[in-house]
Amino acid sequence: MAVDSNYGAFMENFLLRPSSSAHDLPLRGLTFAVKDIFDVDGYVTGFGNPDWARTHRAATSTAPSVLDVLRGGATCIGKTIVDEMAYSINGENKHYGTPRNPCAPEYVPGGSSSGSAVAVGAALVDFSLGTDTGGSVRVPASYCGILGFRPSHGAISTVGVIPMAQSFDTVGWFARDPVIFNRVGQTLLQVPDVSPLQPIQIIIAEDCFQLSSIPDDRCSQVLVKSVKKLIGDDIVKHINLGDYVEDRVPSLNHFMSKELKGQQHNIPSLAALSTAMRSLQRYEFKVNHGEWVTRIKPDLGPGISERVWEAVMATGEDNDVCHTVKSELRDALTDLLGASGVLAIPTVPGPPPKLQTDPSTLEVFRAKAFSLLSIAGVSGFCQVSIPLGMHDNLPVAVSLLAKHGSDGFLLNLVETLYETLQEQARIAEN
């Protein structure tokens, strides 16, 4: 296929047909694509890098998550481009090209599930599978103006998926339509279709929204107006999340340097959370791939090369503290949200960066982004990124988080809120 017709989203095209043609299958008649990090029997899993593809044999089985959606009645039409070794949230790949953002062609599509997000955003498939370790479903979903879900950690099998960092790895998915989005989720999570449960409270993390360059009336206020219209005024609460986390996650003190406390452009406790997450992620990446990287010395793109080699040097000296932070944050956020509360934050701190932005310029943006992304990453909570139209011709998104294991509840809430959110977003745009 020419790049123009597939937006550069695909590594290779093939057909995997559903294992049954029963009429009542939930995903019958739908097409999907998979990120080139999932094993598909008979195909080499390329992991975004030609040296990896060259040194690995074809898979001899298919990842259970892929089999689940095939059994659900969907047809797979191919594998999509991934950032090298899944070690980026940008979406640019120097070897295979950068999938073209269908919302904003001059801007990055987001990574590392870049091709999967673009395939959905460009309506080449009905849904797609990606993975999210540090933000690799949520970021491209927000940049490409589509729905993206990071499930509760451990809720969906990662067998047959190249690991990056097991303490954070999840199998996520993208769709444009909230009903299809929910159906895919129910199939992957193997949860029954239950009546939607009304949230007890929706908590707006005010300080997180202040990190974003998107005006309040185009993001948090769209959500607040939608919730008030559909559910009522009394469930909306406000919080300074950074202060709450600093107070309730004492082990974060280990990562709270004076430098973090003095940062004007970030929230110190969430920046420390990001430091803890990336520290453990680096060490686990090294355990998984350090020997291969050292032996093969792969050709890696700018930014990614530095991160990979930094990971290879990781000592793991902070691992115990990182695991304590994980457990303290999960307890703190569980107390905050209760059985059916929802936390609202921006998915990312602003619109997508331009293509080929200098890596050093991206660092401040990345630091803010990981402060937001690490909340679900470290707690293991489920998170959904929901598009809210465009601001200055660039896509806007908001995220909702629910406690670990509340994936079905969160998916139903998205389906309930979606049309009103889009309506309020259109009003705010005009």
Side-chain angles (χ1 to χ4, degrees):
M1 275 192 187
V3 168
D4 284 346
S5 64
N6 74 9
Y7 285 74
F10 284 89
M11 277 295 298
E12 54 189 326
N13 291 92
F14 50 75
L15 271 184
L16 292 180
R17 298 195 183 278
S19 41
S20 164
S21 57
H23 286 278
D24 58 350
L25 292 172
L27 308 179
R28 186 172 182 269
L30 300 179
T31 57
F32 74 102
V34 297
K35 179 179 184 175
D36 193 17
I37 194 172
F38 290 82
D39 285 348
V40 173
D41 188 11
Y43 294 87
V44 174
T45 311
F47 207 18
N49 181 271
D51 289 320
W52 181 277
R54 176 177 58 78
T55 54
H56 288 78
R57 293 182 177 176
T60 55
S61 59
T62 298
S65 49
V66 177
L67 292 175
D68 283 344
V69 289
L70 288 169
R71 288 190 198 106
T75 298
C76 180
I77 68 163
K79 282 197 171 195
T80 54
I81 285 184
V82 48
D83 288 27
E84 294 179 81
M85 304 193 82
Y87 219 145
S88 174
I89 56 168
N90 228 30
E92 295 174 295
N93 188 308
K94 81 165 196 174
H95 305 285
Y96 301 123
T98 298
R100 185 152 49 90
N101 187 330
C103 272
E106 304 296 310
Y107 293 78
V108 299
S112 63
S113 308
S114 54
S116 290
V118 167
V120 168
L124 306 174
V125 289
D126 296 301
F127 70 93
S128 63
L129 301 187
T131 57
D132 189 309
T133 301
S136 291
V137 163
R138 293 163 288 167
V139 172
S142 67
Y143 288 178
C144 292
I146 56 175
L147 290 156
F149 201 92
R150 176 197 166 91
S152 297
H153 187 257
I156 298 171
S157 170
T158 54
V159 171
V161 181
I162 298 174
M164 191 195 179
Q166 288 88 328
S167 292
F168 309 103
D169 289 345
T170 60
V171 168
W173 66 97
F174 304 93
R176 297 179 306 282
D177 177 277
V179 177
I180 290 172
F181 190 64
N182 198 347
R183 267 193 231 148
V184 173
Q186 287 171 5
T187 303
L188 283 166
L189 293 156
Q190 298 173 7
V191 293
D193 188 7
V194 293
S195 299
L197 182 68
Q198 191 161 297
I200 292 171
Q201 54 182 353
I202 292 187
I203 300 172
I204 310 292
E206 291 287 358
D207 52 338
C208 292
F209 282 101
Q210 284 161 16
L211 268 190
S212 173
S213 62
I214 305 291
D216 269 356
D217 65 344
R218 281 298 294 110
C219 199
S220 60
Q221 286 310 304
V222 171
L223 174 65
V224 168
K225 286 174 182 172
S226 301
V227 169
K228 286 182 175 178
K229 184 173 180 182
L230 273 180
I231 305 171
D233 292 20
D234 52 341
I235 73 160
V236 177
K237 311 280 190 266
H238 299 267
I239 192 175
N240 183 305
L241 187 65
D243 288 352
Y244 179 83
V245 168
E246 187 167 351
D247 185 48
R248 294 293 303 271
V249 187
S251 296
L252 269 183
N253 278 332
H254 182 81
F255 301 99
M256 289 273 280
S257 66
K258 286 180 185 172
E259 179 192 344
L260 285 182
K261 289 190 174 179
Q263 277 183 9
Q264 295 302 305
H265 60 269
N266 218 331
I267 299 165
S269 61
L270 300 188
L273 202 60
S274 164
T275 301
M277 179 179 83
R278 291 201 271 179
S279 171
L280 184 54
Q281 180 180 324
R282 277 193 294 269
Y283 183 76
E284 292 185 348
F285 182 91
K286 172 190 178 171
V287 170
N288 291 323
H289 307 304
E291 187 278 329
W292 179 83
V293 170
T294 307
R295 179 168 48 87
I296 300 296
K297 297 183 174 52
D299 179 18
L300 297 165
I304 294 174
S305 177
E306 290 81 350
R307 284 193 287 282
V308 165
W309 283 103
E310 188 182 6
V312 170
M313 301 297 140
T315 61
E317 62 191 41
D318 294 329
N319 286 3
D320 288 349
V321 194
C322 293
H323 285 293
T324 305
V325 167
K326 277 171 65 68
S327 125
E328 287 175 357
L329 183 71
R330 184 179 291 196
D331 290 348
L333 292 184
T334 302
D335 288 349
L336 177 67
L337 297 183
S340 57
V342 171
L343 178 67
I345 62 172
T347 307
V348 284
K354 277 206 147 183
L355 287 164
Q356 295 173 332
T357 296
D358 177 72
S360 59
T361 311
L362 287 174
E363 271 315 303
V364 169
F365 185 85
R366 278 174 57 83
K368 285 188 191 177
F370 278 114
S371 292
L372 299 169
L373 296 164
S374 62
I375 299 165
V378 177
S379 65
F381 279 26
C382 49
Q383 178 176 343
V384 61
S385 181
I386 308 171
L388 295 181
M390 308 282 273
H391 173 68
D392 288 345
N393 295 317
L394 293 169
V396 178
V398 70
S399 268
L400 303 179
L401 289 79
K403 78 179 176 72
H404 188 273
S406 296
D407 305 66
F409 156 69
L410 190 56
L411 282 165
N412 282 335
L413 179 61
V414 173
E415 193 173 331
T416 302
L417 281 175
Y418 189 80
E419 286 310 321
T420 306
L421 280 169
Q422 303 314 303
E423 176 192 311
Q424 291 297 325
R426 282 191 293 273
I427 292 168
E429 271 182 66
N430 302 322

